Amino acid sequence: MEMNGWQQLGVVDTIYEDQEEDEEDFFNSLSHSSSAVGSPSNRADLSPPSTLRAIVEAWSREKGCRPDVIVRVEDQCFRLHKDPVIHRCGYLKRHLTDSSDITIKLPLGLTADAFSLVIISCYNENVPLTPTNLASVCAAAEWLEISNKNTSTNPYLTTLIEDYFFQEVATESVRTIEVLRSCVKLFGGEASAPAVTFFARCVEVLDGSVVAGEEWLDDVAALPIEEMQAVSDEMHERSLHDHDLLYRLVDHYLENHKGKLSEEEKARLCYTITCSSLSPPLFMHLVQNPRLPLRFIVQAMLLDQLQSHHSMFLHHQPTIAPQIKPSQLQHPLPTPPAQTLGAILQRDALLRQSAHLRASMEATSFRIESLEREMAGLKRCLRRSDEAARSESFRTVSEITAKSGDIEGKAFLGTRLVRGFKRFFKKGGGASAECRKLGVVGEAPAGHRRHRSLSGVEIA
C-alpha cells in the first residue's frame, strides 16, 4: 500500500487527531507512557528517535504538552511545538508570531522531506544525513534561517553537515559524485547558493582524487550556461590564488558546447579566470586555445607582459632604508652608497616601458573592440546584401519570363500573318491581277528585274 509523505516520515494525522480529549485524559496518558520511556534525565541513555513523529511524541511526553502550531508544506501538514521551533528557526519565528496555522511555499528544488529533516534539528536531535539529502538539508537550513548557536548537547546543524561531508563524503568518490548530482536539482531556485557551494566543493574533491577518474566532468558539461556561470563565479571566489582547476572546467565546458554559446556568454565565462593565477603550462595552453575569445587571449598576453615588466622594475628598484632619528642611535650608521647614474637610467627606462606597454594594451583593447564592432557591421551588411540579391534574382527571373512570353506571343502573331498571306496569294492566278486592280501591286519600273518571292509572287 502506497503511503503519503507524512507516513513515510512516520508522522501521521492520527497522533494529533484526538485534540478534543480533555486535559486530564491527555496528561494521564502522558504519565502512563512516560514510565516506559523514562524521565528526561534518562533519555540520554536511549537511542535518539530517527523520525519526526517519534521526536514530536517524545517531546510531548517529556514536556507534558501537545503540539500547538500547524505548518502546511506542499500537501503535508506538520503539527509541531512552537517553543523549540521558533527558538531555532528564524523564518518560522516571524511567521508564527500572529498565527498558529501557516502555509509556506518552499523554493525550487526543496521538498517537504528536507523541511522535516531541518525541523528535527530544532528538537535538539541529530539529523539522519545521506549523500542524497545533504545538499537539500543545507539549503533548507539556510533558507529557514536555522540558528548557528551551538550548545554542549546539540551542535549547530551546519556543524553536523560539515562533519558529515569531510568524514563520509570527501573520503569516498562515489558519495562525492552522488552529492554533486543532487546539487543540480537545486540550481536556479531561491535556495541555490548553498547547492552551488557544495557543487564547487565536490569538484575540488574529485579533482584531487586519484580514483575518481574524469567521468564527473560530464556532469559539469551538462550544466546550462547560467548554472555553469554560477559555479565558475563560486570557484573564482574560493580559489583566488590557483585557477588551474577553474580553467580546465571552463575549457572542457566550451569544448562540449561548440556553436551553442554566444561570444558574450563565452567571454563572461572566461573572465572568471584570473590569468595570473594560472600555472605556466596552463597559461601557455590558454594563449594557444582556439576555443577562447580572441579578445580575452590578447588581454591575457598583454597583462602578462605588463606584470613581467613591473616585476623587473621592482627587482631593480633600490631598497629604501627606514628613517631613524639621530637621537635614537647610539652609534652613527654608515652612509648608504649613492645611486649610480646607470641604475637611475635603468629605472627610468623600465618606467617608460611600463607606461608604453600600458598604453599599448589600452590601444589594443580599443582596437579589438572596434574590430568586433566592424565585424558585426560587416555581418549585417552581408546579410542584407544576400537578402537583396535573392530578391533581385527573383525579380529578374520574373521579368525575363514575362519578356519571353511577350516575344513568343509576337513571334506567334507574325507566323500566323505570314501564313495568311501565303494562303491568300496561292488562290489561283488572278490574285496578282486582282491586286493590281485594287492598287496593291503596281507595274515594276523599267530596268528593274523581277524575282519570285518564297510565296510565289513576283516582287520588283
Side-chain angles (χ1 to χ4, degrees), residues 118-295:
V118 172
I119 295 301
I120 288 178
S121 69
C122 296
Y123 281 89
N124 298 334
E125 299 292 345
N126 290 329
V127 179
L129 297 174
T130 65
T132 304
N133 66 31
L134 183 64
S136 60
V137 169
C138 182
E142 181 169 320
W143 188 77
L144 290 169
E145 303 170 25
I146 300 298
S147 172
N148 59 358
K149 182 179 179 181
N150 289 327
T151 64
S152 57
T153 58
N154 181 43
Y156 174 45
L157 180 57
T158 299
T159 303
L160 298 177
I161 292 173
E162 290 296 313
D163 291 343
Y164 183 83
F165 180 81
F166 285 109
Q167 297 173 11
E168 302 294 336
V169 176
T171 57
E172 178 58 53
S173 59
V174 175
R175 294 175 183 171
T176 307
I177 294 175
E178 191 173 355
V179 173
L180 181 139
R181 291 172 178 169
S182 68
C183 293
V184 179
K185 301 175 182 178
L186 299 169
F187 285 177
E190 187 180 349
S192 62
V196 172
T197 301
F198 258 111
F199 190 95
R201 293 176 66 181
C202 290
V203 167
E204 294 170 353
V205 171
L206 292 170
D207 181 65
S209 175
V210 180
V211 298
E214 300 293 329
E215 295 181 0
W216 57 272
L217 284 172
D218 294 335
D219 294 290
V220 178
L223 294 177
I225 181 60
E226 296 81 6
E227 298 175 2
M228 182 60 190
Q229 185 68 48
V231 172
S232 298
D233 292 338
E234 175 66 22
M235 296 192 67
H236 172 87
E237 297 297 330
R238 290 180 58 83
S239 306
L240 293 176
H241 304 294
D242 185 359
H243 279 186
D244 284 8
L245 174 58
L246 176 57
Y247 172 75
R248 291 198 298 270
L249 287 181
V250 171
D251 182 51
H252 182 77
Y253 188 84
L254 294 178
E255 183 179 7
N256 286 270
H257 288 77
K258 292 180 181 178
K260 301 178 182 178
L261 302 177
S262 65
E263 289 298 317
E264 182 181 357
E265 290 172 334
K266 289 194 293 185
R268 190 165 58 249
L269 195 61
C270 289
Y271 278 110
T272 59
I273 303 170
T274 302
C275 298
S276 59
S277 299
L278 294 176
S279 61
L282 283 186
F283 182 80
M284 292 303 298
H285 185 276
L286 180 148
V287 298
Q288 303 175 59
N289 194 338
R291 290 183 286 272
L292 305 183
L294 177 61
R295 181 180 177 186

Side-chain angles (χ1 to χ4, degrees), residues 430-451:
S432 178
E434 186 67 24
C435 288
R436 292 192 188 97
K437 290 180 181 180
L438 294 174
V440 176
V441 179
E443 293 293 334
H448 282 234
R449 184 170 57 88
R450 295 178 179 272
H451 64 273

